[in-house]
Amino acid sequence: SQGWVVGEGGSVLNTADGGFNWVSQGTAISRLCPSCDWYGVSFYTPTVGWVVGSFGSIVATKDGGVTWTSQYAPGVIARTLWDVMAVSVTTVFAVGEQDTILQTTDGGTSWTALLSGTLEMDFKSLYFVDDATGWAVGVQEPTEDVTVIVHTSNGGRSWQHQRVSPAIRSLYDVLFMNRTHGFAAGAGGSMIRTLDGGVTWAHYPSRCTSNDLYTISMDPISSVGFVAGQAGGACSSLDGGRTWVSLLGVAGWTYLDVHAVAEFSKGEVTAGDVRSMQDDSTACWEGVGFLAVGAQGLMQSYRCSAPSPPPPEPPLP
């Protein structure tokens, strides 16, 4: 039932009841960096977590956000960190601008820069399925017209490039269900999927929006997933990402993060500012909901209650 949302202006919000009520923790964290915007948050337990943001800032808590401490990563003070993921109470990864991939194995007492082998990449997102196996996606600065996926199987000691179709200009989020089955979403409604850990990535349009997609989430219990992004673009899948249908998003609002939850009352929220999506009658399922975040500091949780999903489209190859 615990969850956190972070955003611009030093915003940090916490819920202890699955998103029904929220309290600000921004005062405690803003003392450490008054001018910081926060872009990534990850908690490994309800009490141990990290937040990253502008100016290479990293802060950590061991008491559920009641108090925070600053942590220092050398060489990144002028860089924005976009995402963070804790894989244990001691091992955490973070990514950001200028080819930045960071790791700590001691809970943040020290941070080490990892070499991805790329140049001038702005890493937007990362995902680890365990403390050894992970992926990071990014775009080439400053044009953002070349995308990259890197993969590690040894906890970040080395990274391998994974080939992506030239049709993919930018990737903004990556998600893996296990060591082989993963997704990434990006510009122009593009989505890619792998069934072999990224050895091959199949490019297919989401078929439900041409807007840029900034976030993807899938519930491992129900295989229900969401993607969302620019100008109200939002889609859902009922079959583990093989097919997608449009959701009626709120036109003009940009969604930065969405999290699918099988048991809605036990939901959790990750990074962003905040806005939710509305649904239509073509994409409902019983007992599964989502929590979405986006622009303008607004937040709303939602659950669909219609029992019958729509007929699926023909599966993609």
Side-chain angles (χ1 to χ4, degrees), residues 217-232:
S217 178
M218 191 162 296
D219 175 63
I221 299 172
S222 63
S223 295
V224 171
F226 300 94
V227 290
Q230 185 183 43

Side-chain angles (χ1 to χ4, degrees), residues 176-203:
F176 270 76
M177 309 298 290
N178 50 46
R179 291 187 179 186
T180 58
H181 189 190
F183 303 87
S190 295
M191 294 180 62
I192 57 177
R193 181 178 66 168
T194 181
L195 299 175
D196 54 18
V199 176
T200 58
W201 287 89
H203 170 218

Side-chain angles (χ1 to χ4, degrees), residues 145-169:
D145 58 359
V146 176
T147 194
V148 67
I149 300 178
V150 293
H151 165 63
T152 182
S153 58
N154 57 16
R157 290 193 301 272
S158 62
W159 296 81
Q160 296 77 43
H161 287 236
Q162 295 187 335
R163 187 180 298 274
V164 183
S165 167
I168 301 293
R169 291 187 295 108

Side-chain angles (χ1 to χ4, degrees), residues 31-44:
R31 295 190 184 102
L32 302 175
C33 186
S35 58
C36 278
D37 296 324
W38 303 109
Y39 298 113
V41 56
S42 180
F43 273 71
Y44 188 74

Side-chain angles (χ1 to χ4, degrees), residues 79-117:
R79 306 176 190 178
T80 296
L81 299 178
W82 295 116
D83 199 10
V84 61
M85 186 168 187
V87 297
S88 74
V89 294
T90 56
T91 300
V92 188
F93 296 87
V95 294
E97 294 177 323
Q98 299 179 40
D99 200 34
T100 299
I101 302 179
L102 303 174
Q103 179 194 38
T104 179
T105 57
D106 55 16
T109 301
S110 60
W111 286 83
T112 302
L114 305 176
L115 299 177
S116 69

